[in-house]
Amino acid sequence: MAGKRTQKKTHKGAKRKKRSSQRRSVLPRLLGATLVVGALAVLGAYAYFSRDLPSVSSLRDYKPPQTTRVYDRNKKVIGEIFTERRTVIPMSQVPRNVVLSVLAAEDADFYEHEGLDYYGILRAVGRDILEGRAAQGGSTITQQVVKLMLLTPERTISRKVRELILARRLENELTKDEILHLYLSNVNFGHGRYGIQEAARYYFEKNASDLTLAEATLLAGVPQAPTHLSPRSNPEAARRRQQYVLSQLEAKRDVYWPDLSKKAIEAARNTKVEPVPLSEGSGAAPEVLSIARRALRDAAGEDALGAGGYKVYTTIDLSLQRQARTALQRGLIAVDERQGYRGPIRSKKRRAPKASPPVDELRMGRTYFAKVTGVDTENEQIRLNVAGHPAILRMKDAARHNPERLAAPEFTRKGDLFPVSITQMGTDEDPAVARLERGPEGAVVVIEPRSRDVLALIGSFAAQSGFNRATQAIRQPGSTFKPIVYARAIQSRRFTPASLVVDAPAVYDEWKPSNYEQWNYQGAVRLRQALARSINMVAIRVVEDIGVADVAEFARQDGITTKLEEDMALALGASGVRPIELTNAYATFAAGGRWAPARLVSRIIAPDGTQVPLPPVEPARDVMDPSEAYVMTSMLRSVVTEGTGAPAQRLERAVVGKTGTSNDARDAWFVGYSPSVVVGVWVGFDDQRSLGTRETGTRTALPIWIDVMGAADKTPKETDFAMPSGVITARIDPASGLLAYPGQEDAVDEVFLSGTVPVEVARPPDVADPNLFLMEQFDEEVESTSTEGSRAPREERVLGGMAAP
C-alpha cells in the first residue's frame, strides 16, 4: 500500500512538473507575441501619424516674415511695416546670457537629449490620460519649434504624436544651434513681437547682443504665457517668472553652465528691470508710413511688403513732425473756439444743415449729416442714423469737440445733428463706425528748398492713417497762386516790381471779379504793393496782359500737376492744387529758380544689406534764373513787412510768403519760406463748407505757419536772402514807379532785373508836367464841340495804362 501511495505521489508530481514546464514554454511565446503586436501597433501608429507630415528640411531655408522699419533723417524709428513683427539676427549675435536664460526657462537638457524629454512625456501622458485630453506640455525646445513652425497650435493627442515624430526628424536634420536659432527667431514675446531681437528692441530699446543677464532672464520667462507674463502689462507676474528662471540658472549651474558665476546670478536677482517707455515715434507719422510703404512696393515689389526686413530711410525730421502736428492742432482748435464748433448742431435757422438723405450704401471719404438716435452709456458711444444706415460714434473720437469731457447723455440728445465721415463700414451684424467732422481739417508741408527733402508732412488733425490732405486734397489756393502769376510777369520783362497796374472794376465775359474788400479800389498801384495787399484786380490785369495759357504753362513748369482751368479766374487761384505741390512751387523761388520733385524716401536697404534702387523721378529743371527768383522773393518780403502777412514779423527773421483765402472762406492758406526752409499750411473742411465769419489766410493759417516756421528754421536769425548777379537796386518814386528825382525824401529802394530799370525820372511836385498842360488846352478847345464821351480815351489811358519800365 505504501508503495502504491508513493507511486501515486510520484505520478502527480510528474504531472505538475509537466504542466509547469508547459506554462513556462507558453509565457515566452505570449511575451514575444505581445511584443510583436506592440511593435506592429507602434509601427502602424507611426505610419498612420506620419501621413502627410510636413518636411523638416524646409526649415533649413526658412525665411520668416520680418519687420520693415521706417526711419527719419536722424535714424530714429518712425514706425514699422509688418505682417509679423520680427527681426532675424544670426546666432553669433545672441549673447551667452540669453542662451542660458532661455535654456533655464524652457529646456536645460536641450544640448543633451535627442529632441524628446521622455520623463516629461510620461508625466504629460499620465496627466492627459487622467483628463482625457492634451492638457499638459512636457515640450522640449525642439518640440516647440515643430509646434511653432510646422504644426497647428491645437491641443490634441494626435497633434502631440505628430509633434514627437517631427521633433526626432528635426534633430536628425539640423544642428542644436540651428534649432535654437529657429526658436529664438520665432517664439512670441508678447505684444505681437516675435524673436529675441524684436523683444529686446520693444522692451529695452537695445539690440539682443546688449542685453544684461537681468534683462535676458526677464525676457526668457515671457514665451511661456506672453500675455500674462508681459513686463509691460503684468510686471509683477513677469518679475516672479524671472525669479524662477534665475533659480533654475543657479540650481543647474554646476551641471550645465559652471562658467556662470553665482555672483552674476545674485546681481541679476537684485537688479530691478523695467521696460523703457514706448518710443515717441510710435504713431507720430502715419502719413509718412503710408508713403514709405508705397515706395517700398514700387522699388522692391509687392512681395517685399510681406517678406519685410527692409530699412526705409526718409527725409522726415521726427521731432519737427510732432511739433508741426501740435501747431496744426492748436490752430484748428482756435478755429473751433472762434466759430463754436463744439458739440452737436442744433441751429433752427432756415439755412441750417439737415440730415443727409438716405443712400443705398455709405462711402468712406464723404461727410454726412447724421441724426442722433440714442446713446450707449455703457460703451460710451453715440448711436447715429447716417443717410439711412446705423452707425456709432465713440466718445473718445469726439474728444476734440468735447473739451469739457461730458458723458454721452450730457454731450448730445436724440435728434441732434453731427457732421461725420465713415471710418469703418458696417455689416449685417455691426453698425458702421463714424468720425466726428465738426471742425475743419488741415495740412502742413515743410521742405528744405535746396535738397527738396520733405522735413514734415501732416495730413490731418489726428495722427491716424487715411486721407492725407497734404498730398491728396485738391483745394483752391486763392491768393497764394498770385506769386506764380507775378513770377511769370517778372520773367517776361513786361513788368517790374515798380510797374503801375490799375486797380479798378472790370467785366470779363459776364464775370465781374472784385477785390476782397469790394468797396475799395486804389487806382494805379505798383506791382509790389498789389502783391503785398493781395489786390485781386491787379492780378487779373496782369494775367490779361501776359496770357492765361502762358501763366498755366509756367505753373506746370513749376511743378503744379493738377489740371488747371485756363480762364481769367486762374489769376485768383480758382483752380485747385495740392498743398505739397504748391509748397514745392514756392521752394523753386527759395532755391534760386530751380525746380525739383519733393523727396521723402532717401534710400531703402534690403535684408541682406544691399541698397535697393529707387524708381527714377522727374529730373530737376531751371524754371527761372536766380535773379528772377530773387526779385520774386523780394516782392514776397513786402507781404510780411507791409501786407497781409505782417504777423510773421514776430519771428524776427527774414521770411517771405503769401496768404490765400478762397471764395466764402472755404480754404485758408499761408505758404512762405526763409533762406533755409519752405512751409505750406492749408485749413478747410473736406466737404467745402465755409470756415466761418472772418476766417482768412491771415487769421486762420498764418498762426500755424508761424509756429511751424519757428520750429523748423534753426539758422541764425540774421541770415538773409543772398542777392545774385543780374539784380540792380534803384531809388524810385513810390507814386509813379519812376526813378526818384534828386533829393526826393519819400523815395524807396526797389530791385530790378538788369535791363528793366526805369529810364524816366519822376518830376518833383513843384514842376508842372508839360504833357498835362497840353492836354488841358486840348480839352478846352474841344469842349465846346465834343460830347463828354470824347474825353474817355484820355481817361482810359490814365486808368488802364502801366508805367514803362
Side-chain angles (χ1 to χ4, degrees):
M1 292 293 292
K4 287 182 179 180
R5 286 196 297 270
T6 303
Q7 287 178 355
K8 287 181 179 179
K9 287 180 181 179
T10 303
H11 182 68
K12 289 179 180 179
K15 277 185 168 183
R16 284 196 296 270
K17 287 180 180 180
K18 185 178 181 180
R19 286 197 296 270
S20 176
S21 175
Q22 288 175 342
R23 283 197 297 270
R24 285 196 298 271
S25 65
V26 169
L27 285 174
R29 290 198 295 271
L30 288 175
L31 181 60
T34 302
L35 291 174
V36 169
V37 171
L40 290 173
V42 170
L43 290 173
Y46 181 85
Y48 175 80
F49 287 110
S50 295
R51 294 176 308 161
D52 302 323
L53 282 179
S55 172
V56 295
S57 62
S58 63
L59 296 184
R60 185 174 293 279
D61 299 317
Y62 178 65
K63 295 180 180 179
Q66 300 188 62
T67 301
T68 289
R69 286 186 170 78
V70 181
Y71 298 88
D72 83 339
R73 65 193 299 108
N74 300 310
K75 298 184 179 179
K76 294 180 180 178
V77 176
I78 294 175
E80 299 168 334
I81 302 169
F82 57 90
T83 52
E84 289 182 356
R85 279 191 168 109
R86 178 187 288 104
T87 300
V88 177
I89 58 174
M91 196 65 188
S92 59
Q93 293 182 18
V94 180
R96 181 163 171 75
N97 59 20
V98 169
V99 171
L100 298 185
S101 298
V102 169
L103 295 179
E106 297 292 334
D107 186 2
D109 293 318
F110 174 69
Y111 280 95
E112 304 299 324
H113 61 60
E114 295 180 344
L116 302 177
D117 176 5
Y118 295 103
Y119 175 76
I121 291 172
L122 291 174
R123 185 181 66 242
V125 169
R127 184 69 174 270
D128 294 348
I129 292 172
L130 289 175
E131 300 199 10
R133 60 187 178 90
Q136 181 168 327
S139 296
T140 64
I141 284 177
T142 307
Q143 289 174 258
Q144 291 185 56
V145 169
V146 167
K147 183 168 59 177
L148 283 169
M149 305 177 69
L150 295 175
L151 297 176
T152 61
E154 62 180 337
R155 299 173 69 89
T156 64
I157 293 176
S158 64
R159 202 274 304 154
K160 191 71 174 179
V161 173
R162 291 159 64 88
E163 175 188 304
L164 299 178
I165 296 171
L166 287 172
R168 288 293 297 121
R169 291 182 180 180
L170 184 59
E171 288 276 342
N172 292 329
E173 181 72 25
L174 302 180
T175 67
K176 286 288 187 179
D177 282 352
E178 288 172 333
I179 295 171
L180 183 58
H181 183 239
L182 285 172
Y183 176 84
L184 290 171
S185 299
N186 291 278
V187 71
N188 184 3
F189 283 91
H191 302 277
R193 267 67 183 184
Y194 294 84
I196 188 63
Q197 175 72 355
E198 199 70 32
R201 283 178 168 172
Y202 176 68
Y203 290 108
F204 301 118
E205 281 192 356
K206 60 172 60 176
N207 292 321
S209 58
D210 299 323
L211 289 171
T212 65
L213 182 61
E215 293 166 341
T217 51
L218 184 69
L219 294 184
V222 175
Q224 185 190 60
T227 301
H228 176 66
L229 297 176
S230 164
R232 287 200 187 280
S233 56
N234 202 341
E236 290 303 318
R239 175 68 175 168
R240 288 194 298 271
R241 175 68 175 164
Q242 180 203 27
Q243 292 303 310
Y244 166 78
V245 175
L246 285 166
S247 68
Q248 289 296 100
L249 274 177
E250 185 172 18
K252 298 176 179 180
R253 186 186 72 86
D254 292 339
V255 176
Y256 293 108
W257 35 79
D259 57 310
L260 181 64
S261 69
K262 289 184 178 181
K263 184 177 180 182
I265 297 173
E266 191 62 28
R269 183 177 284 121
N270 295 326
T271 300
K272 185 177 182 180
V273 181
E274 293 181 345
V276 298
L278 288 174
S279 171
E280 58 187 11
S282 301
E287 304 94 337
V288 177
L289 285 181
S290 178
I291 294 173
R293 182 184 182 89
R294 186 166 62 249
L296 176 60
R297 183 189 61 211
D298 293 344
E302 190 73 34
D303 291 344
L305 296 176
Y310 290 81
K311 296 178 180 179
V312 181
Y313 292 92
T314 73
T315 60
I316 293 294
D317 183 324
L318 186 56
S319 175
L320 180 60
Q321 176 81 8
R322 292 195 308 274
Q323 290 173 293
R325 193 181 304 277
T326 299
L328 178 65
Q329 290 173 340
R330 187 163 48 241
L332 296 181
I333 289 173
V335 177
D336 294 346
E337 292 174 348
R338 288 195 297 267
Q339 301 298 331
Y341 296 139
R342 300 289 174 83
I345 298 173
R346 292 174 179 162
S347 175
K348 295 182 179 179
K349 295 180 180 179
R350 184 169 56 87
R351 297 184 61 185
K354 293 179 172 55
S356 298
V359 296
D360 292 336
E361 61 179 11
L362 298 175
R363 295 181 62 180
M364 299 177 71
R366 289 192 173 182
T367 300
Y368 300 90
F369 283 91
K371 182 170 287 189
V372 176
T373 60
V375 297
D376 181 349
T377 306
E378 181 179 354
N379 295 308
E380 297 185 341
Q381 296 174 348
I382 300 171
R383 291 192 290 269
L384 303 171
N385 180 329
V386 183
H389 299 267
I392 59 168
L393 171 64
R394 294 184 288 245
M395 287 301 296
K396 66 178 183 179
D397 294 334
R400 170 184 167 185
H401 306 289
N402 182 22
E404 297 176 359
R405 300 297 185 265
L406 300 175
E410 288 75 41
F411 183 66
T412 188
R413 59 174 180 257
K414 189 174 181 179
D416 284 343
L417 282 185
F418 283 108
V420 301
S421 62
I422 301 301
T423 59
Q424 182 178 315
M425 302 300 290
T427 65
D428 292 339
E429 295 80 20
D430 299 312
V433 178
R435 180 174 62 209
L436 188 56
E437 304 288 356
R438 189 72 171 92
E441 274 290 353
V444 177
V445 181
V446 183
I447 296 176
E448 190 177 73
R450 298 294 172 179
S451 65
R452 284 316 208 273
D453 286 352
V454 178
L455 304 181
L457 188 78
I458 310 296
S460 61
F461 177 94
Q464 58 192 16
S465 58
F467 185 54
N468 182 355
R469 294 161 188 83
T471 60
Q472 295 174 291
I474 299 178
R475 305 297 298 229
Q476 289 187 352
S479 293
T480 51
F481 194 81
K482 289 175 182 173
I484 293 177
V485 172
Y486 291 148
R488 177 59 190 131
I490 295 296
Q491 186 183 55
S492 72
R493 270 49 174 190
R494 297 167 64 86
F495 293 84
T496 75
S499 295
L500 292 184
V501 183
V502 171
D503 174 26
V507 177
Y508 299 91
D509 295 330
E510 298 184 359
W511 176 53
K512 187 178 181 180
S514 62
N515 292 328
Y516 180 74
E517 296 176 338
Q518 300 180 19
W519 62 90
N520 185 11
Y521 294 94
Q522 302 179 33
V525 183
R526 282 183 291 123
L527 210 61
R528 179 183 290 274
Q529 293 174 300
L531 179 61
R533 300 171 190 171
S534 202
I535 300 174
N536 289 343
M537 294 310 303
V538 172
I540 291 170
R541 292 186 187 277
V542 170
V543 169
E544 182 182 24
D545 185 278
I546 62 178
V548 173
D550 199 342
V551 173
E553 178 56 28
F554 180 83
R556 284 188 284 268
Q557 288 297 309
D558 203 12
I560 303 298
T561 59
T562 48
K563 181 176 173 55
L564 299 175
E565 297 297 329
E566 296 188 15
D567 54 33
M568 293 300 295
L570 183 65
L572 306 185
S575 204
V577 299
R578 294 179 176 88
I580 191 168
E581 64 184 4
L582 185 60
T583 305
N584 198 39
Y586 275 60
T588 298
F589 305 146
R594 188 167 180 79
W595 178 88
R599 184 180 75 145
L600 192 142
V601 173
S602 57
R603 59 193 173 103
I604 298 175
I605 304 300
D608 62 3
T610 60
Q611 187 162 332
V612 179
L614 297 177
V617 297
E618 193 173 356
R621 56 179 173 263
D622 290 323
V623 178
M624 312 171 73
D625 66 39
S627 60
E628 295 163 352
Y630 179 84
V631 170
M632 194 63 246
T633 295
S634 175
M635 291 176 65
L636 284 169
R637 179 68 174 151
S638 293
V639 176
V640 173
T641 58
E642 56 185 88
T644 56
Q649 293 179 36
R650 78 169 190 238
L651 288 170
E652 298 181 344
R653 64 169 65 245
V655 293
V656 306
K658 186 69 189 75
T659 52
T661 310
S662 67
N663 287 344
D664 299 324
R666 294 189 180 97
D667 305 270
W669 296 76
F670 193 90
V671 185
Y673 52 94
S674 70
S676 61
V677 179
V678 187
V679 178
V681 173
W682 167 82
V683 175
F685 283 100
D686 289 338
D687 61 353
Q688 306 282 342
R689 277 175 282 161
S690 172
L691 285 166
T693 305
R694 297 179 61 200
E695 297 297 337
T696 64
T698 302
R699 191 184 196 197
T700 309
L702 181 52
I704 300 169
W705 186 91
I706 292 171
D707 287 348
V708 176
M709 178 58 78
D713 193 344
K714 300 303 182 184
T715 59
K717 286 195 172 185
E718 60 272 14
T719 305
D720 206 344
F721 298 96
M723 181 186 292
S725 60
V727 177
I728 297 173
T729 302
R731 300 280 288 177
I732 65 165
D733 169 31
S736 66
L738 302 176
L739 290 175
Y741 58 82
Q744 184 171 353
E745 294 182 356
D746 63 346
V748 295
D749 287 332
E750 186 55 274
V751 294
F752 298 90
L753 298 177
S754 180
T756 66
V757 180
V759 294
E760 189 176 350
V761 178
R763 298 181 183 280
D766 57 346
V767 176
D769 185 347
N771 292 327
L772 181 59
F773 175 76
L774 293 174
M775 287 295 295
E776 289 174 350
Q777 294 297 314
F778 176 77
D779 285 344
E780 290 177 2
E781 290 177 3
V782 301
E783 195 171 44
S784 59
T785 57
S786 302
T787 63
E788 184 175 340
S790 65
R791 291 195 297 271
R794 181 188 66 83
E795 184 178 15
E796 181 64 26
R797 284 195 298 274
V798 174
L799 290 177
M802 291 177 275

